[in-house]
Amino acid sequence: MEETYLLNVEGVKKKILHGGRGELPKLQDGSKFTFHFQTLKDDFERTVIDDSREAGMPMEIIVGKMFKLEIWETLLSSMRIGEVAEFWCDSIHTGMYALVSRGMRRIAEGRDPLEGQKHRCGMGNMFDYHSTGYDDLDELQRTPQPLIFIMELFRVEDPSAYKRDTWAMNKEEKLAAVPVLHSEGNRLVLRREFAQAAAKYQEAVICLRNLQAKEKPWEDGWLKLENLVTPLVLNYCQCQLELGEYYEVLEHTTELLQKHNDNAKAYFKRAKAHAAVWNEREAREDFQRVAHLDPSMAAAVKKELKQLGERMRKKHVEDRKRYQGLFQSSQGQ
């Protein structure tokens, strides 16, 4: 089983390290591969670039979904369930690896893999990036080179056998998934399961942002998607307020207000976050902006300002007592 042989693809060699079981899986568009992988340089040290086990999550790709590193679909299609194989791939197949790895690393870090991506095709984006944000990937992007992939195939599932992840959906499927995720988030909020609700809202936002990346900013298609994004971001921020993640709220509401500076609800949530972290001046400014933009919220603003004033007075009293205690303590020494 250790014989090295060529696949029927130029620039690819395969070595089976551990045999699999059964026949080669029957594949169709939408079939899902689940596997672990290591990516190594073809150098004397066999330097490890990525390892999905260290990242703590197996890799999944969908047949026929135009995965940027097309050769991986070919490699996996040659494997049986349970098989471990090593593939050497020439640089003609590895030019997109830096972008693929960048996206996978961002997902492992809990970030949007398309964050910061311009409205361009994959190759266009590769030339636009001055840096991937990772030094080793920048090197691969500048000088594509042969790579070694060690893969262990766990399972292959038919399209009907698994819940489709939103990243694997086409445009229509993503648009259909957004109201479902929105509704699930609302249901979880009613049950006060705020962390789970926030995850649903976030997934819906990422879905829409991925679609927006294919539209020109501020044109009709982009604006229609933005109108769907805004209430989801606000719901996400409300969950973060409930969870005490105030700086998360400040970040997302500020970003939203840079695009929509007349959104009273965004100012209101940002004001509450400012108040929670003792930014009195900023909180008052935002609350006053809310009352100006939406007079129907004036009563709520008045209540929040009263609570803010009481909290700040209590804090000032406590601060004075603490400083007096420190002063007296230093005098007594």
Side-chain angles (χ1 to χ4, degrees):
M1 299 297 283
E2 298 204 359
E3 179 184 1
T4 300
Y5 62 92
L6 294 174
L7 292 172
N8 296 322
V9 181
E10 181 183 359
V12 176
K13 296 179 183 179
K14 176 180 178 181
K15 181 195 296 184
I16 297 177
L17 305 180
H18 183 278
R21 58 185 182 274
E23 301 296 323
L24 288 174
K26 294 180 180 178
L27 303 174
Q28 56 183 301
D29 275 1
S31 294
K32 180 167 76 171
F33 292 111
T34 302
F35 60 101
H36 269 305
F37 74 94
Q38 268 192 328
T39 303
L40 301 87
K41 287 187 177 180
D42 185 22
D43 56 15
F44 181 77
E45 296 84 3
R46 287 168 62 96
T47 305
V48 176
I49 300 170
D50 289 307
D51 187 333
S52 62
R53 284 188 173 82
E54 287 190 4
M57 55 189 296
M59 182 68 182
E60 298 176 346
I61 67 173
I62 309 296
V63 174
K65 285 298 178 183
M66 301 295 288
F67 185 62
K68 286 179 181 175
L69 201 64
E70 293 179 16
I71 194 62
W72 272 18
E73 187 174 317
T74 301
L75 305 183
L76 291 162
S77 298
S78 77
M79 298 178 69
R80 292 171 168 80
I81 305 300
E83 181 178 323
V84 182
E86 176 178 309
F87 300 91
W88 177 90
C89 295
D90 201 353
S91 57
I92 60 172
H93 300 296
T94 63
M96 294 295 289
Y97 184 77
L99 284 185
V100 171
S101 177
R102 175 182 183 269
M104 292 186 294
R105 292 182 188 187
R106 282 177 171 269
I107 290 171
E109 294 164 4
R111 301 163 65 189
D112 179 357
L114 297 181
E115 179 184 323
Q117 185 162 309
K118 296 185 180 181
H119 177 64
R120 296 282 296 279
C121 66
M123 289 298 290
N125 274 304
M126 183 171 71
F127 292 117
D128 274 337
Y129 290 137
H130 298 292
S131 172
T132 62
Y134 305 94
D135 292 341
D136 57 339
L137 299 184
D138 287 345
E139 178 193 345
L140 290 180
Q141 187 165 273
R142 285 192 298 268
T143 55
Q145 55 195 268
L147 295 174
I148 297 166
F149 303 113
I150 299 176
M151 295 177 160
E152 179 179 1
L153 181 60
F154 295 133
R155 60 181 174 271
V156 177
E157 298 169 272
D158 290 336
S160 60
Y162 64 91
K163 179 185 175 184
R164 301 285 295 282
D165 292 318
T166 51
W167 61 265
M169 296 176 180
N170 60 32
K171 179 178 179 178
E172 290 72 23
E173 290 168 334
K174 285 178 179 175
L175 286 172
V178 166
V180 175
L181 290 166
H182 198 158
S183 178
E184 289 176 354
N186 292 348
R187 178 177 55 80
L188 289 163
V189 166
L190 291 174
R191 291 163 51 180
R192 302 192 64 78
E193 296 178 16
F194 297 114
Q196 295 89 331
K200 295 293 183 183
Y201 296 137
Q202 185 179 45
E203 186 178 357
V205 169
I206 290 173
C207 222
L208 293 168
R209 292 295 189 209
N210 289 350
L211 293 174
Q212 272 191 315
K214 298 176 176 64
E215 302 285 346
K216 290 186 178 180
W218 301 106
E219 292 195 356
D220 286 347
W222 188 94
L223 287 170
K224 287 178 181 177
L225 293 168
E226 185 68 17
N227 289 336
L228 297 174
V229 167
T230 299
L232 288 162
V233 172
L234 291 172
N235 287 0
Y236 174 82
C237 287
Q238 183 59 42
C239 290
Q240 297 304 319
L241 282 173
E242 297 285 353
L243 294 167
E245 299 291 344
Y246 304 118
Y247 290 101
E248 180 92 353
V249 176
L250 292 175
E251 177 185 350
H252 288 286
T253 50
T254 298
E255 181 182 348
L256 193 153
L257 287 165
Q258 286 170 352
K259 299 176 185 175
H260 312 284
N261 62 4
D262 60 348
N263 192 301
K265 291 182 179 179
Y267 278 112
F268 189 79
K269 295 183 193 303
R270 190 172 73 171
K272 287 177 71 70
H274 276 309
V277 295
W278 307 106
N279 296 338
E280 182 180 12
R281 179 180 60 81
E282 292 88 345
R284 289 187 180 280
E285 288 177 355
D286 278 352
F287 278 133
Q288 288 164 3
R289 182 72 171 162
V290 171
H292 173 73
L293 287 170
D294 188 351
S296 71
M297 297 181 70
V301 166
K302 184 177 180 180
K303 179 181 177 182
E304 292 289 341
L305 286 171
K306 181 180 179 182
Q307 291 177 349
L308 175 61
E310 292 170 351
R311 288 182 69 240
M312 295 307 301
R313 282 192 291 274
K314 184 177 179 181
K315 183 177 185 294
H316 293 325
V317 170
E318 291 174 349
D319 287 346
R320 277 200 303 273
K321 288 180 179 178
R322 183 162 58 251
Y323 294 144
Q324 286 173 356
L326 289 171
F327 178 76
Q328 289 169 357
S329 176
S330 64
Q331 289 288 316
Q333 292 178 354

